[in-house]
Coordinates of all heavy atoms in Angstrom, one line a residue:
M26 N 0.8 -1.2 0.0 CA 0.0 0.1 0.0 C 0.9 1.3 0.0 O 1.9 1.3 0.7 CB -0.9 0.0 1.2 CG -1.9 -1.2 1.3 SD -3.1 -1.0 0.0 CE -4.6 -1.1 1.0
T27 N 0.5 2.2 -0.8 CA 1.2 3.5 -0.9 C 0.4 4.6 -0.5 O -0.8 4.7 -1.0 CB 1.7 3.7 -2.4 OG1 2.4 2.6 -2.8 CG2 2.4 4.9 -2.6
R28 N 0.9 5.5 0.5 CA 0.1 6.7 0.8 C 0.0 7.6 -0.3 O 0.9 8.0 -1.0 CB 0.9 7.3 2.0 CG 0.0 8.4 2.6 CD 0.5 8.9 3.9 NE -0.4 9.7 4.5 CZ -0.2 11.0 5.0 NH1 1.0 11.4 5.0 NH2 -1.1 11.7 5.6
S29 N -1.3 7.9 -0.6 CA -1.6 8.7 -1.8 C -2.6 9.8 -1.5 O -3.3 9.7 -0.5 CB -2.3 7.7 -2.9 OG -1.4 6.6 -3.1
L30 N -2.6 10.9 -2.3 CA -3.5 11.9 -2.2 C -4.6 11.8 -3.3 O -4.3 11.6 -4.4 CB -2.8 13.3 -2.3 CG -3.6 14.5 -2.1 CD1 -4.1 14.6 -0.6 CD2 -2.8 15.8 -2.5
N31 N -5.9 11.6 -2.8 CA -7.0 11.5 -3.8 C -7.9 12.7 -3.7 O -8.3 13.1 -2.6 CB -7.8 10.2 -3.4 CG -9.0 10.0 -4.2 OD1 -10.1 10.1 -3.8 ND2 -8.6 9.7 -5.5
C32 N -8.0 13.3 -4.8 CA -8.7 14.7 -4.9 C -9.9 14.6 -5.9 O -9.6 13.9 -7.0 CB -7.8 15.8 -5.2 SG -6.5 16.1 -4.2
V33 N -11.0 15.2 -5.7 CA -12.2 15.3 -6.6 C -12.5 16.7 -6.6 O -12.5 17.4 -5.5 CB -13.3 14.4 -6.1 CG1 -14.5 14.5 -7.1 CG2 -12.9 12.9 -6.1
F34 N -12.8 17.3 -7.8 CA -13.1 18.7 -7.9 C -13.7 19.0 -9.2 O -13.7 18.2 -10.2 CB -11.8 19.6 -7.7 CG -10.8 19.4 -8.8 CD1 -10.8 20.2 -9.9 CD2 -9.9 18.4 -8.7 CE1 -9.8 19.9 -10.9 CE2 -8.9 18.1 -9.6 CZ -8.9 18.9 -10.7
A35 N -14.5 20.1 -9.3 CA -14.9 20.6 -10.6 C -14.0 21.7 -11.1 O -13.5 22.5 -10.4 CB -16.4 21.2 -10.4
G36 N -13.6 21.5 -12.4 CA -12.7 22.5 -13.0 C -13.1 22.7 -14.5 O -13.4 21.9 -15.2
K37 N -13.2 24.0 -14.8 CA -13.6 24.4 -16.1 C -12.7 25.5 -16.6 O -12.2 26.4 -15.8 CB -15.0 24.9 -16.1 CG -16.0 23.9 -15.7 CD -17.4 24.1 -16.4 CE -18.3 23.1 -15.7 NZ -18.5 22.0 -16.5
S38 N -12.4 25.5 -17.9 CA -11.5 26.6 -18.5 C -12.4 27.6 -19.1 O -13.4 27.2 -19.9 CB -10.6 25.9 -19.5 OG -9.9 26.9 -20.1
A39 N -12.1 28.8 -18.9 CA -12.9 29.9 -19.7 C -12.5 30.1 -21.1 O -13.3 30.6 -21.8 CB -12.6 31.2 -18.9
S40 N -11.4 29.6 -21.5 CA -10.9 29.6 -22.8 C -9.8 28.5 -23.1 O -9.5 27.8 -22.1 CB -10.4 31.0 -23.2 OG -9.2 31.3 -22.6
A41 N -9.4 28.4 -24.2 CA -8.3 27.5 -24.5 C -7.1 27.7 -23.8 O -6.7 28.9 -23.6 CB -8.0 27.5 -26.0
I42 N -6.6 26.7 -23.2 CA -5.3 26.9 -22.4 C -4.2 26.6 -23.3 O -4.1 25.5 -23.9 CB -5.3 26.0 -21.1 CG1 -6.5 26.2 -20.3 CG2 -4.0 26.0 -20.4 CD1 -6.7 25.2 -19.2
P43 N -3.2 27.6 -23.4 CA -2.0 27.3 -24.3 C -1.4 25.8 -23.8 O -1.2 25.7 -22.6 CB -1.1 28.4 -24.0 CG -2.1 29.5 -23.5 CD -3.1 28.8 -22.8
G44 N -1.2 25.1 -24.8 CA -0.4 23.8 -24.5 C -1.3 22.6 -24.1 O -0.9 21.5 -23.8
G45 N -2.7 22.9 -24.1 CA -3.5 21.8 -23.9 C -4.8 22.0 -23.1 O -5.0 23.1 -22.6
E46 N -5.5 21.0 -22.7 CA -6.7 21.1 -22.0 C -6.5 21.0 -20.5 O -5.3 20.8 -20.0 CB -7.7 19.9 -22.4 CG -8.1 20.0 -23.9 CD -9.0 21.1 -24.2 OE1 -9.8 21.6 -23.3 OE2 -8.8 21.6 -25.3
F47 N -7.6 21.1 -19.7 CA -7.4 21.2 -18.3 C -6.6 19.9 -17.7 O -5.7 20.0 -16.9 CB -8.8 21.3 -17.6 CG -8.8 21.8 -16.2 CD1 -9.1 23.1 -16.0 CD2 -8.7 20.9 -15.2 CE1 -9.1 23.5 -14.7 CE2 -8.7 21.3 -13.9 CZ -8.9 22.6 -13.6
K48 N -7.1 18.7 -18.1 CA -6.4 17.5 -17.6 C -5.0 17.5 -18.0 O -4.1 17.0 -17.3 CB -7.2 16.3 -18.1 CG -8.5 16.1 -17.4 CD -9.2 14.8 -17.7 CE -9.6 14.6 -19.1 NZ -10.2 13.4 -19.4
E49 N -4.7 17.9 -19.2 CA -3.2 17.9 -19.6 C -2.4 18.9 -18.8 O -1.3 18.6 -18.6 CB -3.2 18.3 -21.1 CG -3.8 17.2 -22.0 CD -4.0 17.6 -23.5 OE1 -3.8 18.8 -23.8 OE2 -4.2 16.7 -24.3
W50 N -3.0 19.9 -18.4 CA -2.3 20.9 -17.5 C -2.0 20.2 -16.2 O -0.9 20.3 -15.6 CB -3.2 22.2 -17.2 CG -2.7 23.1 -16.2 CD1 -1.7 24.0 -16.4 CD2 -2.9 23.1 -14.8 NE1 -1.4 24.7 -15.2 CE2 -2.2 24.1 -14.3 CE3 -3.8 22.4 -14.0 CZ2 -2.2 24.4 -12.9 CZ3 -3.7 22.7 -12.6 CH2 -3.0 23.7 -12.1
I51 N -3.0 19.4 -15.7 CA -2.8 18.6 -14.4 C -1.6 17.6 -14.7 O -0.7 17.5 -13.8 CB -4.1 17.9 -14.0 CG1 -5.1 18.9 -13.6 CG2 -3.8 17.0 -12.9 CD1 -6.5 18.3 -13.4
V52 N -1.6 16.9 -15.8 CA -0.5 16.0 -16.0 C 0.8 16.7 -16.0 O 1.8 16.3 -15.4 CB -0.7 15.3 -17.4 CG1 0.5 14.5 -17.8 CG2 -1.9 14.4 -17.3
N53 N 0.9 17.9 -16.6 CA 2.2 18.7 -16.7 C 2.6 19.1 -15.3 O 3.8 19.0 -15.0 CB 2.1 19.8 -17.6 CG 2.1 19.4 -19.0 OD1 2.6 18.4 -19.5 ND2 1.4 20.2 -19.9
E54 N 1.7 19.5 -14.5 CA 1.9 20.0 -13.2 C 2.5 18.9 -12.3 O 3.4 19.0 -11.6 CB 0.7 20.6 -12.5 CG 0.2 22.0 -13.0 CD 1.3 23.0 -12.9 OE1 1.8 23.3 -11.7 OE2 1.7 23.6 -13.9
A55 N 1.9 17.7 -12.4 CA 2.3 16.6 -11.7 C 3.8 16.1 -12.1 O 4.7 15.8 -11.3 CB 1.3 15.3 -12.0
K56 N 4.0 16.1 -13.4 CA 5.4 15.8 -13.9 C 6.4 16.8 -13.4 O 7.5 16.4 -13.0 CB 5.4 15.7 -15.4 CG 4.7 14.4 -15.8 CD 4.7 14.4 -17.4 CE 3.9 13.1 -17.9 NZ 3.9 13.0 -19.3
N57 N 6.1 18.1 -13.4 CA 7.0 19.1 -12.9 C 7.3 18.9 -11.3 O 8.3 19.4 -10.9 CB 6.4 20.5 -13.1 CG 6.4 20.9 -14.6 OD1 7.1 20.4 -15.4 ND2 5.5 21.8 -14.9
L58 N 6.4 18.2 -10.6 CA 6.7 18.0 -9.2 C 7.0 16.7 -8.9 O 7.1 16.2 -7.8 CB 5.4 18.5 -8.4 CG 5.1 19.9 -8.4 CD1 3.7 20.1 -7.9 CD2 6.1 20.7 -7.5
A59 N 7.4 15.9 -9.9 CA 7.8 14.4 -9.7 C 6.6 13.6 -9.1 O 6.9 12.8 -8.1 CB 9.1 14.3 -9.0
I60 N 5.4 14.0 -9.4 CA 4.3 13.2 -8.8 C 3.8 12.2 -9.8 O 3.8 12.4 -11.0 CB 3.0 14.3 -8.7 CG1 3.4 15.4 -7.7 CG2 1.8 13.5 -8.2 CD1 3.6 15.0 -6.3
T61 N 3.5 11.0 -9.4 CA 3.0 9.9 -10.1 C 1.5 9.7 -9.9 O 1.0 10.1 -8.8 CB 3.8 8.7 -9.9 OG1 3.7 8.2 -8.5 CG2 5.3 8.8 -10.4
G62 N 0.8 8.9 -10.7 CA -0.6 8.6 -10.5 C -1.4 8.8 -11.7 O -0.9 8.5 -12.7
W63 N -2.6 9.5 -11.5 CA -3.5 9.6 -12.6 C -4.5 10.7 -12.4 O -4.8 11.0 -11.3 CB -4.1 8.3 -13.1 CG -4.8 7.6 -12.0 CD1 -4.2 6.4 -11.4 CD2 -6.1 7.8 -11.3 NE1 -5.1 6.0 -10.3 CE2 -6.3 6.8 -10.4 CE3 -7.1 8.7 -11.5 CZ2 -7.4 6.6 -9.6 CZ3 -8.2 8.6 -10.7 CH2 -8.4 7.6 -9.8
V64 N -5.1 11.1 -13.6 CA -6.2 12.1 -13.5 C -7.3 11.5 -14.5 O -7.0 10.9 -15.6 CB -5.9 13.5 -13.9 CG1 -5.2 13.6 -15.3 CG2 -7.0 14.5 -13.7
R65 N -8.6 11.7 -14.1 CA -9.6 11.2 -15.0 C -10.8 12.1 -14.8 O -11.0 12.7 -13.8 CB -10.0 9.7 -14.8 CG -10.7 9.5 -13.4 CD -11.0 8.0 -13.2 NE -11.5 7.8 -11.9 CZ -11.8 6.7 -11.4 NH1 -11.7 5.6 -12.2 NH2 -12.3 6.5 -10.2
S66 N -11.7 12.1 -15.9 CA -12.9 12.8 -15.9 C -14.0 11.8 -15.2 O -14.1 10.7 -15.6 CB -13.4 13.2 -17.1 OG -12.5 14.2 -17.7
L67 N -14.8 12.4 -14.4 CA -15.9 11.7 -13.9 C -17.3 12.0 -14.7 O -17.2 13.0 -15.4 CB -16.1 12.0 -12.4 CG -15.0 11.7 -11.5 CD1 -15.3 12.3 -10.0 CD2 -14.7 10.2 -11.4
H68 N -18.2 11.3 -14.5 CA -19.5 11.4 -15.3 C -20.3 12.7 -15.1 O -21.2 13.1 -15.8 CB -20.4 10.2 -15.1 CG -19.8 8.9 -15.7 ND1 -19.5 8.7 -17.0 CD2 -19.3 7.9 -15.0 CE1 -18.9 7.5 -17.2 NE2 -18.9 7.0 -16.0
D69 N -19.9 13.4 -13.9 CA -20.7 14.6 -13.5 C -19.8 15.8 -13.8 O -20.0 16.9 -13.0 CB -21.1 14.4 -12.1 CG -20.0 14.2 -11.1 OD1 -18.8 14.2 -11.6 OD2 -20.2 14.1 -9.9
D70 N -19.0 15.8 -14.7 CA -18.1 17.0 -15.1 C -17.1 17.3 -13.9 O -16.6 18.4 -14.1 CB -19.0 18.2 -15.5 CG -19.8 18.0 -16.8 OD1 -19.3 17.3 -17.6 OD2 -20.9 18.5 -16.9
R71 N -16.8 16.5 -13.1 CA -15.8 16.7 -12.2 C -14.5 15.9 -12.5 O -14.6 15.1 -13.5 CB -16.2 16.3 -10.8 CG -17.3 17.1 -10.2 CD -17.6 16.7 -8.7 NE -18.0 15.2 -8.7 CZ -17.8 14.5 -7.6 NH1 -17.5 15.0 -6.4 NH2 -18.2 13.3 -7.7
H72 N -13.4 16.2 -12.0 CA -12.2 15.4 -12.2 C -11.8 14.7 -10.9 O -12.0 15.2 -9.9 CB -11.1 16.4 -12.6 CG -11.4 17.2 -13.8 ND1 -11.5 16.7 -15.0 CD2 -11.6 18.5 -14.0 CE1 -11.7 17.6 -16.0 NE2 -11.9 18.7 -15.3
E73 N -11.1 13.6 -11.2 CA -10.6 12.8 -10.0 C -9.0 12.7 -10.2 O -8.6 12.3 -11.3 CB -11.2 11.5 -9.7 CG -10.6 10.8 -8.6 CD -11.3 9.4 -8.4 OE1 -12.0 8.9 -9.3 OE2 -11.0 8.9 -7.3
V74 N -8.3 12.8 -9.2 CA -6.8 12.8 -9.2 C -6.3 11.8 -8.2 O -6.8 11.9 -7.0 CB -6.1 14.1 -9.0 CG1 -4.7 14.0 -8.9 CG2 -6.5 15.1 -10.1
L75 N -5.4 10.9 -8.5 CA -4.8 10.1 -7.5 C -3.3 10.4 -7.6 O -2.8 10.2 -8.8 CB -5.0 8.6 -7.7 CG -4.3 7.9 -6.6 CD1 -5.2 7.4 -5.5 CD2 -3.4 6.7 -7.2
A76 N -2.7 10.9 -6.6 CA -1.4 11.5 -6.8 C -0.4 10.7 -5.7 O -0.9 10.5 -4.5 CB -1.2 12.9 -6.5
Q77 N 0.8 10.4 -6.1 CA 1.8 9.8 -5.2 C 3.1 10.5 -5.3 O 3.4 10.9 -6.5 CB 2.0 8.4 -5.5 CG 0.7 7.5 -5.5 CD 0.9 6.1 -6.0 OE1 1.8 5.7 -6.7 NE2 0.0 5.3 -5.4
G78 N 3.8 10.7 -4.3 CA 5.1 11.4 -4.3 C 5.5 11.8 -2.8 O 4.8 11.3 -1.9
S79 N 6.4 12.7 -2.7 CA 6.8 13.2 -1.4 C 5.6 14.0 -0.8 O 5.0 14.6 -1.7 CB 8.1 14.0 -1.5 OG 7.9 15.2 -2.1
E80 N 5.5 14.0 0.5 CA 4.5 14.9 1.1 C 4.5 16.2 0.7 O 3.5 17.0 0.5 CB 4.4 14.5 2.6 CG 3.1 15.1 3.3 CD 3.0 14.6 4.6 OE1 3.4 13.4 4.9 OE2 2.2 15.2 5.4
E81 N 5.8 16.8 0.7 CA 6.0 18.2 0.4 C 5.5 18.5 -1.0 O 4.8 19.4 -1.2 CB 7.5 18.5 0.5 CG 7.8 20.0 0.1 CD 9.3 20.3 0.2 OE1 10.1 19.3 0.6 OE2 9.7 21.4 -0.3
N82 N 5.9 17.7 -2.0 CA 5.4 17.9 -3.4 C 3.9 17.6 -3.6 O 3.3 18.3 -4.4 CB 6.2 16.9 -4.4 CG 7.6 17.6 -4.6 OD1 8.0 18.6 -4.1 ND2 8.5 16.8 -5.3
L83 N 3.4 16.7 -2.8 CA 1.9 16.5 -2.9 C 1.2 17.7 -2.3 O 0.1 18.1 -2.9 CB 1.5 15.2 -2.1 CG 1.9 14.0 -2.8 CD1 1.6 12.8 -1.9 CD2 1.1 13.8 -4.1
E84 N 1.7 18.4 -1.3 CA 1.0 19.6 -0.8 C 1.1 20.7 -1.9 O 0.2 21.5 -2.0 CB 1.6 20.0 0.5 CG 1.3 19.1 1.6 CD -0.2 19.0 2.1 OE1 -1.0 19.9 1.7 OE2 -0.5 18.1 2.7
K85 N 2.3 20.8 -2.4 CA 2.4 21.8 -3.5 C 1.4 21.5 -4.7 O 0.8 22.4 -5.2 CB 3.8 21.9 -4.1 CG 4.8 22.4 -3.2 CD 6.2 22.3 -3.8 CE 7.3 22.7 -2.8 NZ 8.7 22.7 -3.4
F86 N 1.3 20.2 -5.1 CA 0.4 19.9 -6.1 C -1.1 20.2 -5.7 O -1.8 20.7 -6.6 CB 0.6 18.4 -6.4 CG -0.2 17.8 -7.6 CD1 0.0 18.3 -8.8 CD2 -1.1 16.8 -7.3 CE1 -0.8 17.7 -9.9 CE2 -1.9 16.3 -8.4 CZ -1.6 16.7 -9.7
R87 N -1.3 19.9 -4.5 CA -2.8 20.3 -4.1 C -3.0 21.8 -4.2 O -4.1 22.2 -4.6 CB -2.9 19.8 -2.6 CG -4.3 20.1 -2.1 CD -4.5 19.7 -0.6 NE -5.8 20.0 0.0 CZ -6.2 21.3 0.2 NH1 -5.4 22.3 0.1 NH2 -7.3 21.5 0.7
A88 N -2.0 22.5 -3.8 CA -2.2 24.0 -4.0 C -2.3 24.4 -5.4 O -3.1 25.3 -5.8 CB -1.0 24.7 -3.3
H89 N -1.7 23.8 -6.4 CA -1.7 24.1 -7.8 C -3.1 23.7 -8.3 O -3.7 24.4 -9.1 CB -0.6 23.3 -8.5 CG 0.7 23.8 -8.3 ND1 1.7 23.7 -9.3 CD2 1.4 24.4 -7.3 CE1 2.9 24.3 -8.8 NE2 2.6 24.6 -7.6
L90 N -3.6 22.6 -7.8 CA -5.0 22.1 -8.3 C -6.1 23.2 -7.8 O -6.9 23.5 -8.5 CB -5.4 20.7 -7.6 CG -4.5 19.5 -8.2 CD1 -5.0 18.3 -7.4 CD2 -4.8 19.4 -9.7
L91 N -5.9 23.7 -6.5 CA -6.8 24.6 -6.1 C -6.8 26.0 -6.8 O -7.9 26.5 -7.1 CB -6.5 24.9 -4.6 CG -7.5 25.9 -3.8 CD1 -8.9 25.3 -3.9 CD2 -7.0 26.1 -2.4
Q92 N -5.7 26.3 -7.3 CA -5.5 27.5 -8.1 C -6.0 27.2 -9.6 O -6.6 28.1 -10.1 CB -4.0 28.0 -8.1 CG -3.9 29.3 -8.8 CD -2.4 29.8 -8.9 OE1 -1.6 29.1 -8.2 NE2 -2.2 30.9 -9.5
G93 N -5.5 26.1 -10.1 CA -6.0 25.7 -11.5 C -5.1 26.6 -12.5 O -4.3 27.5 -12.2
P94 N -5.2 26.2 -13.8 CA -4.5 26.9 -14.9 C -5.0 28.2 -15.1 O -6.1 28.6 -14.6 CB -4.7 26.0 -16.1 CG -5.9 25.3 -15.8 CD -6.0 25.1 -14.3
P95 N -4.3 29.1 -15.9 CA -4.8 30.5 -16.2 C -6.2 30.4 -16.8 O -6.4 29.4 -17.6 CB -3.7 31.0 -17.2 CG -2.5 30.2 -16.9 CD -3.0 28.9 -16.5
L96 N -7.0 31.3 -16.5 CA -8.4 31.5 -17.2 C -9.3 30.2 -16.8 O -10.1 29.7 -17.7 CB -8.3 31.7 -18.6 CG -7.5 32.9 -19.1 CD1 -7.4 32.9 -20.6 CD2 -8.1 34.2 -18.5
S97 N -9.1 29.7 -15.7 CA -9.9 28.6 -15.3 C -10.5 28.8 -13.9 O -10.3 29.7 -13.2 CB -9.0 27.3 -15.2 OG -8.2 27.4 -14.1
K98 N -11.5 27.9 -13.6 CA -12.2 28.0 -12.3 C -12.2 26.6 -11.7 O -12.6 25.6 -12.3 CB -13.6 28.5 -12.5 CG -14.4 28.7 -11.3 CD -15.7 29.3 -11.7 CE -16.5 29.5 -10.3 NZ -17.8 30.2 -10.5
V99 N -11.8 26.5 -10.5 CA -11.8 25.2 -9.8 C -12.7 25.4 -8.6 O -12.7 26.4 -7.9 CB -10.4 24.8 -9.2 CG1 -10.4 23.7 -8.3 CG2 -9.4 24.7 -10.4
E100 N -13.6 24.4 -8.4 CA -14.6 24.6 -7.4 C -14.7 23.2 -6.6 O -14.5 22.1 -7.2 CB -16.1 24.8 -8.0 CG -16.2 26.1 -8.6 CD -17.6 26.2 -9.3 OE1 -18.2 25.2 -9.6 OE2 -18.0 27.4 -9.5
N101 N -14.9 23.3 -5.3 CA -15.2 22.1 -4.5 C -14.1 21.1 -4.5 O -14.4 19.9 -4.6 CB -16.5 21.5 -4.9 CG -17.7 22.4 -4.8 OD1 -17.8 23.3 -3.9 ND2 -18.6 22.3 -5.8
L102 N -12.8 21.6 -4.3 CA -11.7 20.6 -4.2 C -11.7 19.9 -2.9 O -11.7 20.6 -1.9 CB -10.4 21.5 -4.4 CG -9.1 20.5 -4.2 CD1 -9.0 19.7 -5.4 CD2 -7.9 21.5 -4.2
E103 N -11.9 18.6 -3.0 CA -11.9 17.8 -1.8 C -10.7 16.8 -1.9 O -10.8 16.0 -2.8 CB -13.2 17.1 -1.6 CG -14.4 18.0 -1.4 CD -15.8 17.3 -1.4 OE1 -15.7 16.0 -1.2 OE2 -16.8 17.9 -1.5
C104 N -9.9 16.8 -1.0 CA -8.6 15.9 -1.0 C -8.6 15.1 0.3 O -9.0 15.6 1.3 CB -7.4 16.6 -1.2 SG -7.2 17.4 -2.7
K105 N -8.2 13.8 0.2 CA -8.0 13.0 1.3 C -6.8 12.1 1.1 O -6.5 11.8 0.0 CB -9.2 12.2 1.7 CG -9.7 11.3 0.7 CD -11.0 10.5 1.0 CE -11.4 9.7 -0.2 NZ -12.7 8.9 0.0
W106 N -6.2 11.7 2.3 CA -5.1 10.8 2.2 C -5.6 9.4 2.2 O -6.6 9.1 3.0 CB -4.1 11.0 3.4 CG -3.4 12.3 3.3 CD1 -3.6 13.5 3.9 CD2 -2.3 12.6 2.4 NE1 -2.8 14.4 3.7 CE2 -1.9 13.9 2.7 CE3 -1.5 11.9 1.6 CZ2 -0.8 14.5 2.1 CZ3 -0.4 12.5 0.9 CH2 -0.2 13.8 1.2
I107 N -5.2 8.5 1.3 CA -5.6 7.2 1.3 C -4.4 6.2 1.1 O -3.4 6.7 0.7 CB -6.6 6.9 0.2 CG1 -6.0 7.0 -1.3 CG2 -7.8 7.7 0.4 CD1 -6.8 6.6 -2.4
E108 N -4.7 5.0 1.5 CA -3.6 4.0 1.2 C -4.1 3.2 -0.1 O -5.1 2.6 -0.2 CB -3.6 2.9 2.4 CG -3.0 3.5 3.6 CD -1.5 4.0 3.5 OE1 -0.8 3.3 2.7 OE2 -1.2 5.0 4.2
Y109 N -3.3 3.4 -1.1 CA -3.6 2.8 -2.5 C -2.8 1.5 -2.7 O -1.7 1.5 -2.4 CB -3.4 3.8 -3.5 CG -4.1 3.5 -4.8 CD1 -5.5 3.7 -4.9 CD2 -3.4 3.1 -5.9 CE1 -6.1 3.5 -6.2 CE2 -4.1 2.9 -7.1 CZ -5.4 3.0 -7.2 OH -6.1 2.8 -8.4
E110 N -3.4 0.5 -3.3 CA -2.8 -0.7 -3.6 C -1.7 -0.8 -4.5 O -0.9 -1.7 -4.6 CB -3.9 -1.8 -3.9 CG -4.5 -1.7 -5.2 CD -5.7 -0.8 -5.2 OE1 -6.1 -0.2 -4.2 OE2 -6.3 -0.7 -6.3
K111 N -1.7 0.1 -5.4 CA -0.6 0.2 -6.5 C 0.2 1.5 -6.4 O -0.2 2.5 -6.0 CB -1.4 0.2 -7.8 CG -0.5 0.1 -9.0 CD -1.3 0.2 -10.4 CE -0.3 0.1 -11.6 NZ -1.0 0.2 -12.8
T112 N 1.5 1.2 -6.7 CA 2.4 2.4 -6.9 C 2.7 2.6 -8.3 O 2.9 1.8 -9.1 CB 3.8 2.0 -6.1 OG1 3.5 1.7 -4.8 CG2 4.8 3.2 -6.3
F113 N 2.6 3.9 -8.7 CA 2.8 4.3 -10.1 C 4.2 4.7 -10.4 O 4.9 5.4 -9.5 CB 1.8 5.4 -10.5 CG 0.3 4.9 -10.5 CD1 -0.4 5.0 -9.3 CD2 -0.3 4.3 -11.5 CE1 -1.7 4.5 -9.2 CE2 -1.6 3.8 -11.5 CZ -2.3 3.9 -10.3
S114 N 4.6 4.7 -11.7 CA 5.9 5.1 -12.1 C 5.8 6.4 -13.0 O 7.0 6.9 -13.3 CB 6.7 4.0 -12.8 OG 6.0 3.6 -13.9
S115 N 4.7 6.7 -13.3 CA 4.5 7.9 -14.1 C 3.1 8.6 -13.8 O 2.4 8.0 -13.0 CB 4.6 7.6 -15.6 OG 3.5 6.8 -16.0
F116 N 2.7 9.7 -14.4 CA 1.4 10.2 -14.2 C 0.7 10.1 -15.5 O 1.1 10.5 -16.6 CB 1.5 11.8 -13.8 CG 0.3 12.3 -13.2 CD1 0.1 12.1 -11.9 CD2 -0.7 12.8 -13.9 CE1 -1.1 12.6 -11.3 CE2 -1.9 13.3 -13.4 CZ -2.1 13.2 -12.1
E117 N -0.6 9.5 -15.4 CA -1.3 9.1 -16.6 C -2.6 10.0 -16.7 O -3.2 10.4 -15.8 CB -1.8 7.6 -16.4 CG -0.7 6.7 -16.2 CD -1.2 5.2 -15.8 OE1 -2.4 5.1 -15.7 OE2 -0.4 4.4 -15.6
L118 N -3.0 10.2 -17.9 CA -4.2 10.8 -18.2 C -5.1 9.6 -18.6 O -5.0 8.8 -19.6 CB -4.0 11.7 -19.5 CG -5.3 12.4 -20.1 CD1 -6.0 13.2 -19.0 CD2 -5.0 13.1 -21.3
R119 N -6.2 9.4 -17.8 CA -7.1 8.4 -18.0 C -8.4 8.9 -18.6 O -8.7 10.0 -18.5 CB -7.4 7.6 -16.7 CG -6.2 6.9 -16.2 CD -6.7 6.0 -15.0 NE -5.5 5.1 -14.6 CZ -5.6 4.3 -13.6 NH1 -6.7 4.2 -12.9 NH2 -4.6 3.5 -13.4
Q120 N -9.2 8.0 -19.3 CA -10.4 8.3 -19.8 C -11.6 8.3 -18.9 O -11.5 7.6 -17.9 CB -10.7 7.4 -21.1 CG -9.7 7.6 -22.2 CD -9.6 9.0 -22.7 OE1 -10.6 9.8 -22.8 NE2 -8.3 9.4 -23.1

């Protein structure tokens, strides 16, 4: 089991984000902080993130998620620490 940060939130972009969509921005932020795990869209227009890494970098990542990319709006960010059965070697964009 790996201590992981699991977050669910609503995130929308007001316009096109240079370099990609909202989830792609999350992937880039994760890679910049050496975070592994995944991001996926939920059926209710929210996003879910499972993140693994150092506690310091995970706290930075959480702060980045709360702020969101330029010209975006993040609402109802809920994060909790969980024990996850798998350890990831990269950060994935899931469908």
Side-chain angles (χ1 to χ4, degrees):
M26 299 291 236
T27 302
R28 187 162 191 235
S29 305
L30 187 64
N31 181 244
C32 299
V33 176
F34 60 96
K37 300 210 185 262
S38 174
S40 68
I42 299 168
E46 298 294 327
F47 198 94
K48 288 188 295 185
E49 291 171 348
W50 175 85
I51 294 170
V52 171
N53 288 333
E54 291 298 306
K56 289 179 179 179
N57 289 339
L58 290 169
I60 300 292
T61 60
W63 48 260
V64 60
R65 67 179 174 184
S66 294
L67 300 175
H68 297 293
D69 58 3
D70 292 328
R71 293 183 304 155
H72 303 291
E73 181 179 18
V74 173
L75 182 103
Q77 299 173 342
S79 73
E80 192 163 334
E81 178 183 352
N82 284 355
L83 288 170
E84 289 297 339
K85 289 178 185 177
F86 185 61
R87 182 185 176 284
H89 289 209
L90 289 178
L91 185 59
Q92 181 179 2
L96 303 175
S97 70
K98 183 176 183 180
V99 174
E100 297 177 335
N101 303 322
L102 177 67
E103 297 177 15
C104 295
K105 62 184 175 184
W106 292 101
I107 64 169
E108 292 296 325
Y109 199 73
E110 68 274 1
K111 182 178 177 184
T112 300
F113 293 91
S114 59
S115 63
F116 198 88
E117 306 169 359
L118 176 59
R119 293 189 171 178
Q120 298 301 327

